Amino acid sequence: GDSVTQMEGPVTLSEEAFLTINCTYTATGYPSLFWYVQYPGEGLQLLLKATKADDKGSNKGFEATYRKETTSFHLEKGSVQVSDSAVYFCALSDHAGGTSYGKLTFGQGTILTVHP
Amino acid sequence: DGGITQSPKYLFRKEGQNVTLSCEQNLNHDAMYWYRQDPGQGLRLIYYSQIVNDFQKGDIAEGYSVSREKKESFPLTVTSAQKNPTAFYLCASSMDRRTFFSQETQYFGPGTRLLVL
């Protein structure tokens, strides 16, 4: 079945540091890939997405590139801020054969803490 | 403003009691979903509905029930059969899968935290 694996957390960085959160996946079809962010006590917000191989999703300084050859979708940001402190979830939506109903498979989440 | 609302923000359940979590959306989305989030884990799908008067079990449906009588509403009942209900519950919605297959984005509500007394 489909699965998503994220790097173990928590991740602690100083402000303006470079961020990478690794995400790899397994899927039977041709998934779309997503990064969601969850701020404390809130629901999830879509951060970025990519729907096919070599696509790059970007938003708010975050980027991730859909790498089919390595089945990866790593999240990066060049200079993090304190306000980026949150939990980040990688997810996939597999629409192999057009049978999917839009089910998302999530990674376990990575807690990011940014210190001033 | 368009969006998804969940209520209450916190809910307390006594032993043997059924409780119902509300989820409403005014995005005119066809599909709606319920997820459960436990500490240190990703989200797990409880139930989903693609259209009014239809719903399907997700990965962890035991001890839960849903209804979809209106397009904008998808309430979740946590029954007494759910032995470990303490969790953060998230509702989501997305556009018609028949148009976009599974590439559509899911939009999430703010969540309800359920605690057992």
Coordinates of all heavy atoms in Angstrom, one line a residue, chain B residues 1-2 11-14 16 18 28 38 45 51 54 56 74 81 92 96 106:
Chain B
D1 N -16.8 34.8 4.6 CA -15.7 34.0 4.2 C -16.0 32.6 4.0 O -16.7 32.0 4.8 CB -14.6 34.2 5.2 CG -13.9 35.5 5.1 OD1 -14.3 36.3 4.3 OD2 -12.9 35.7 5.9
G2 N -15.4 31.9 3.0 CA -15.6 30.5 2.8 C -14.7 29.7 3.6 O -13.5 30.2 3.9
L11 N -14.1 19.0 23.7 CA -15.3 18.2 24.0 C -14.9 17.1 25.0 O -13.8 16.4 24.9 CB -15.8 17.5 22.8 CG -17.1 16.7 22.9 CD1 -18.3 17.6 23.4 CD2 -17.5 16.1 21.5
F12 N -15.7 16.9 26.0 CA -15.4 16.0 27.1 C -16.4 14.8 27.0 O -17.6 15.1 26.9 CB -15.4 16.6 28.5 CG -14.4 17.7 28.6 CD1 -14.7 19.0 28.3 CD2 -13.1 17.4 29.0 CE1 -13.7 20.0 28.4 CE2 -12.1 18.3 29.1 CZ -12.4 19.7 28.8
R13 N -16.0 13.6 27.1 CA -16.9 12.5 27.0 C -16.7 11.6 28.3 O -15.6 11.4 28.8 CB -16.5 11.6 25.9 CG -17.6 10.6 25.5 CD -17.1 9.5 24.5 NE -16.5 8.4 25.2 CZ -16.3 7.2 24.6 NH1 -16.6 7.0 23.4 NH2 -15.7 6.2 25.3
K14 N -17.9 11.2 28.8 CA -17.9 10.3 30.0 C -18.0 8.9 29.5 O -18.3 8.6 28.3 CB -19.1 10.6 30.8 CG -19.1 12.0 31.5 CD -20.4 12.2 32.3 CE -20.4 13.6 32.9 NZ -21.7 13.8 33.7
G16 N -19.1 5.4 28.4 CA -20.4 4.9 27.9 C -21.2 5.9 27.2 O -22.3 5.6 26.8
N18 N -22.1 8.6 24.0 CA -21.9 8.9 22.6 C -21.7 10.4 22.6 O -22.5 11.2 23.2 CB -23.0 8.5 21.7 CG -23.1 7.0 21.6 OD1 -22.3 6.2 22.1 ND2 -24.2 6.5 21.0
N28 N -18.9 24.7 -1.0 CA -19.6 24.0 -2.0 C -18.9 22.7 -2.5 O -19.0 22.3 -3.7 CB -20.0 24.9 -3.2 CG -21.1 24.3 -4.1 OD1 -22.0 23.7 -3.6 ND2 -21.0 24.5 -5.4
D38 N -3.2 11.5 16.5 CA -2.7 11.2 17.8 C -1.3 11.7 17.9 O -0.6 11.9 16.9 CB -2.7 9.7 18.0 CG -4.1 9.1 18.1 OD1 -4.7 9.3 19.2 OD2 -4.6 8.6 17.2
L45 N -7.5 8.2 8.5 CA -8.8 8.5 7.9 C -9.8 7.6 8.6 O -9.7 6.4 8.7 CB -8.8 8.2 6.4 CG -10.1 8.5 5.7 CD1 -10.4 10.0 5.7 CD2 -10.0 7.9 4.3
I51 N -20.4 12.3 -1.7 CA -21.6 12.9 -2.1 C -22.7 12.8 -1.1 O -22.6 11.9 -0.2 CB -22.1 12.3 -3.5 CG1 -23.1 13.2 -4.2 CG2 -22.6 10.9 -3.2 CD1 -23.4 12.7 -5.6
D54 N -24.2 9.4 1.0 CA -23.2 8.3 0.7 C -22.0 8.6 1.6 O -21.5 9.7 1.6 CB -22.9 8.3 -0.7 CG -21.9 7.1 -1.0 OD1 -22.4 5.9 -0.9 OD2 -20.8 7.4 -1.3
Q56 N -18.2 6.3 3.2 CA -17.5 5.0 3.2 C -16.5 5.0 4.4 O -16.1 6.0 4.8 CB -16.6 4.9 1.9 CG -17.4 5.0 0.6 CD -18.4 3.9 0.4 OE1 -18.1 2.7 0.9 NE2 -19.5 4.1 -0.2
F74 N -21.2 17.2 7.8 CA -20.7 15.9 7.9 C -20.4 15.6 9.4 O -19.2 15.5 9.7 CB -19.5 15.7 7.0 CG -19.0 14.3 6.8 CD1 -19.9 13.2 6.6 CD2 -17.7 14.0 6.8 CE1 -19.5 11.9 6.4 CE2 -17.2 12.7 6.5 CZ -18.1 11.7 6.3
A81 N -18.4 2.4 21.8 CA -17.6 1.3 21.4 C -16.2 1.7 21.1 O -15.3 0.8 21.0 CB -18.2 0.7 20.1
A92 N -12.2 17.6 6.9 CA -11.6 18.3 5.7 C -12.7 18.1 4.6 O -13.6 17.3 4.6 CB -10.3 17.6 5.3
D96 N -15.2 18.0 -6.2 CA -15.7 16.8 -6.8 C -14.5 15.9 -7.4 O -13.8 16.4 -8.3 CB -16.7 17.1 -7.9 CG -17.3 15.9 -8.5 OD1 -17.0 14.7 -8.1 OD2 -18.3 16.1 -9.3
Q106 N -7.2 19.1 -0.2 CA -8.2 19.0 0.9 C -7.9 20.2 1.8 O -6.8 20.6 2.1 CB -7.9 17.7 1.7 CG -8.4 16.5 0.9 CD -8.4 15.2 1.7 OE1 -8.4 15.3 2.9 NE2 -8.4 14.1 1.0

